[in-house]
């Protein structure tokens, strides 16, 4: 069965990604159902990697699988000797994707993240409020009332891309990115919100900061959040921020 046939049946597409990787696309756009399929295939491959698989990297709508060309060729059966390594891996991944269960394996983990909003903790809170014709308190209320799905971890170690933010507080990125954003900063960019786990440049509008350490390389796993988690934000005072500083739940 070729890619065109599979697209019509399961709405996925498989492409070569360089000389030793394939990319599996489950759809377009930020969608919980698409992302659930991404996580299911990722979990399947990580729990049962095929011979020659190096790693798989998941994103909002896709999984990219990297493999060792020689190892894949060595596992080929006599019937597949005429196939390229890309064709062998594509067939294998296609079979996994077609047969996997996409239902959640259990209740999603909910992680509460305390945030101190405004002031030096969130220097762009007033701008976000003004942009949306709200008060800073209303922005905080809206931001803390939502539940946010972790679609993927990327950009920086442990950085969660969260979906589900209310469009009432959506705000464009800064026209001029900051050269250094403190670890723990909570920001908004367009219709998304996220948390900077490490010090890094960035252009998101900063509305607050969490004292929790979202990335600790000495831990396993090093990232507090994982794709599929649900995040809730809780407003705290500056005094509570100091009590929590550096913690990890």
């Amino acid at each position: 069965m070729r890619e065109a046939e599979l697209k019509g049946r399961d709405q996925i597409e498989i492409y070569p990604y360089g000389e030793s990787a394939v990319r599996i696309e489950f759809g377009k756009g930020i969608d919980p159902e698409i992302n659930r399929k991404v996580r299911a295939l990722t979990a399947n491959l990580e729990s049962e990697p095929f011979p020659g698989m190096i790693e798989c990297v998941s994103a909002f709508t896709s999984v990219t699988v990297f493999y060792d060309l020689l190892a894949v060729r060595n596992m080929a059966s006599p019937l597949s000797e005429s196939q390229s390594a890309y064709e062998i891996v594509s067939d294998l991944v296609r079979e996994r994707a077609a047969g996997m269960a996409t239902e959640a394996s259990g209740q999603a983990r909910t992680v509460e993240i305390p945030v101190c909003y405004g002031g030096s903790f969130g220097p762009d809170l007033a701008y976000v409020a003004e942009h949306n014709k709200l008060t800073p308190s209303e922005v905080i209320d809206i931001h803390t009332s939502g539940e946010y799905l972790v679609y993927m971890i990327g950009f920086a170690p442990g950085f969660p891309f969260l979906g589900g933010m209310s469009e009432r507080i959506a705000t464009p990125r800064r026209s001029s990115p900051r050269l250094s954003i403190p670890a723990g900063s909570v920001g908004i960019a367009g219709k998304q919100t996220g948390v900077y786990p490490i010090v890094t440049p960035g252009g998101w509008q900063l509305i607050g900061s969490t004292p929790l350490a979202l990335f600790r390389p000495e831990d396993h796993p090093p990232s507090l959040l994982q794709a599929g988690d649900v995040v809730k934000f809780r407003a705290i005072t500056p005094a509570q921020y100091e009590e929590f500083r550096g913690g990890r739940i």
Side-chain angles (χ1 to χ4, degrees):
M1 184 181 296
R2 298 297 92 190
E3 281 80 2
E5 295 177 273
L6 189 66
K7 180 181 177 183
R9 190 188 72 180
D10 294 326
Q11 297 184 332
I12 72 169
E13 298 182 58
I14 301 177
Y15 306 99
Y17 196 75
E19 294 184 351
S20 56
V22 296
R23 181 175 180 135
I24 304 95
E25 285 276 358
F26 285 91
K28 304 295 182 183
I30 301 176
D31 179 87
E33 180 59 29
I34 292 174
N35 191 250
R36 185 159 38 248
K37 294 176 181 178
V38 167
R39 299 198 310 271
L41 180 59
T42 300
N44 179 290
L45 290 169
E46 289 181 341
S47 63
E48 299 181 45
F50 58 84
M53 183 179 125
I54 298 173
E55 67 173 334
C56 59
V57 179
S58 59
F60 280 101
T61 63
S62 67
V63 181
T64 302
V65 183
F66 296 86
Y67 55 87
D68 181 282
L69 285 166
L70 182 59
V72 169
R73 290 299 305 151
N74 286 341
M75 78 166 183
S77 67
L79 294 176
S80 61
E81 285 182 352
S82 62
Q83 290 183 300
S84 67
Y86 160 69
E87 291 172 325
I88 293 171
V89 173
S90 294
D91 287 345
L92 189 153
V93 172
R94 181 184 296 114
E95 184 178 347
R96 295 278 189 99
M100 69 186 182
T102 59
E103 294 81 8
S105 58
Q107 187 72 23
R109 184 178 70 137
T110 298
V111 179
E112 184 180 80
I113 296 181
V115 179
C116 191
Y117 290 91
S120 61
F121 297 98
D124 300 322
L125 176 63
Y127 174 78
V128 172
E130 180 182 359
H131 176 80
N132 290 286
K133 297 179 174 56
L134 300 167
T135 66
S137 293
E138 288 173 325
V139 172
I140 295 171
D141 288 343
I142 294 169
H143 193 256
T144 54
S145 66
E147 292 189 355
Y148 304 89
L149 175 64
V150 179
Y151 276 85
M152 60 177 285
I153 302 294
F155 162 62
F159 187 99
F161 285 90
L162 306 175
M165 191 185 76
S166 170
E167 292 190 18
R168 294 174 61 198
I169 55 176
T171 309
R173 295 169 182 262
R174 288 171 53 88
S175 57
S176 177
R178 291 181 171 92
L179 297 179
S180 180
I181 291 178
S185 296
V186 178
I188 288 175
K191 298 178 182 179
Q192 285 190 280
T193 186
V195 185
Y196 286 86
I198 62 174
V199 177
T200 180
W204 292 37
Q205 305 286 352
L206 306 183
I207 62 172
S209 180
T210 179
L212 291 184
L214 268 68
F215 181 75
R216 293 175 66 170
E218 69 276 12
D219 289 355
H220 183 75
S223 176
L224 170 63
L225 299 173
Q226 305 296 324
D229 287 345
V230 173
V231 169
K232 293 182 179 180
F233 294 106
R234 175 169 63 87
I236 59 173
T237 65
Q240 291 172 316
Y241 181 95
E242 292 303 323
E243 291 178 16
F244 281 117
R245 185 188 288 273
R248 173 90 176 248
I249 57 175

